[in-house]
Amino acid sequence: MSAARPDLCDLTFKRQVVIQCCDALEREGFTRFRKDKVDWPLGEEFHCWVGLNSSLSPEFVHISPFVGLHVKPIEKLWTSYKVGKYTTKYDRAVATYARHVGEISPSESEFKFTRATDIESESRRLARLYATVGFEFAEAIADYQSLLPLLKERIGMLGAYPERVACCLYLMGRKADSRKFVEAFVSAHHDYFAGFADPFLKRLDEERLT
């Protein structure tokens, strides 16, 4: 039997890369809320969200970086009202809205970690990118008025975007618009959306009576 090649990457190496990236992000000021998860609270409601999507091949570990927002009131609201087969629990690690960092900074080189890579140096480069370009992007959209059109662009993807649009409108105080959106969307996507629409509209009815 031939000996294992020391230059090949495995799951242990992949975990090591992700952890060292999180270490570097933490040194830049991001908050470590799990061993392999960080974000940057921008206040009580908005967090700069970090997504280190990682993939493994025998030759390298690829980190595909995403950045955006986790909006605590939106995520708590829609997850608390969703029932049925598409339910989920609130999770700080979930993005309300995110984009690939490469879309924001297309000149930046990819993040590929081989056994020969200086992981500390590359992790530092990744962290600096998040602390500058990524943070600026998240901060620029960290209000409901800026976020709403971005969420609306994705409602056709489903994946909780319609729920987030409804909750964003609600939290902006636009309850009539929220109701109108939910009623229209559930008529077109009943199987997917009724588990949120029915209890959410009931809440709006109850609020109107008080």
Side-chain angles (χ1 to χ4, degrees):
M1 182 181 294
S2 60
R5 285 176 51 187
D7 60 321
L8 296 183
C9 302
D10 55 16
L11 285 172
T12 299
F13 180 70
K14 179 183 171 183
R15 285 192 291 268
Q16 177 191 349
V17 167
V18 172
I19 294 302
Q20 287 197 232
C21 287
C22 289
D23 291 344
L25 283 157
E26 191 174 16
R27 287 192 292 270
E28 285 288 344
F30 286 80
T31 299
R32 190 80 158 263
F33 63 94
R34 292 181 196 159
K35 186 176 182 180
D36 60 348
K37 301 290 181 184
V38 302
D39 66 12
W40 190 307
L42 302 171
E44 286 296 317
E45 297 184 338
F46 294 88
H47 292 204
C48 174
W49 181 85
V50 171
L52 301 178
N53 290 8
S54 58
S55 59
L56 173 66
S57 73
E59 291 77 27
F60 59 83
V61 170
H62 182 231
I63 299 289
S64 187
F66 285 78
V67 67
L69 290 175
H70 171 85
V71 186
K72 189 174 179 180
I74 289 178
E75 296 303 312
K76 280 190 170 291
L77 188 58
W78 85 260
T79 55
S80 69
Y81 277 88
K82 188 86 170 183
V83 298
K85 59 183 175 181
Y86 300 112
T87 58
T88 188
K89 294 181 179 179
Y90 169 76
D91 186 350
R92 179 172 170 175
V94 171
T96 304
Y97 177 84
R99 289 176 60 188
H100 194 282
V101 176
E103 297 178 46
I104 305 165
S105 183
S107 62
E108 196 72 31
S109 302
E110 284 190 297
F111 293 92
K112 289 186 175 181
F113 297 79
T114 70
R115 290 286 189 178
T117 299
D118 184 338
I119 300 175
E120 183 177 348
S121 176
E122 276 296 271
S123 297
R124 213 164 40 236
R125 179 171 73 90
L126 178 73
R128 285 302 303 154
L129 185 61
Y130 270 106
T132 53
V133 173
F135 184 86
E136 289 168 8
F137 169 73
E139 195 173 39
I141 62 170
D143 63 84
Y144 294 118
Q145 193 70 39
S146 299
L147 182 61
L148 180 60
L150 300 176
L151 295 175
K152 283 184 173 180
E153 288 175 357
R154 295 187 175 180
I155 59 173
M157 299 168 61
L158 303 182
Y161 286 109
E163 292 88 337
R164 290 172 178 132
V165 168
C167 292
C168 189
L169 287 165
Y170 176 90
L171 292 164
M172 294 170 73
R174 295 171 56 182
K175 295 182 182 180
D177 290 334
S178 182
R179 173 187 292 279
K180 184 178 179 180
F181 170 78
V182 170
E183 288 175 343
F185 202 84
V186 74
S187 67
H189 303 273
H190 187 271
D191 179 65
Y192 167 78
F193 204 52
F196 170 81
D198 292 347
F200 186 75
L201 290 171
K202 182 180 179 182
R203 172 187 177 133
L204 292 179
D205 289 339
E206 291 171 350
E207 289 182 357
R208 190 162 55 181
L209 292 172
T210 59

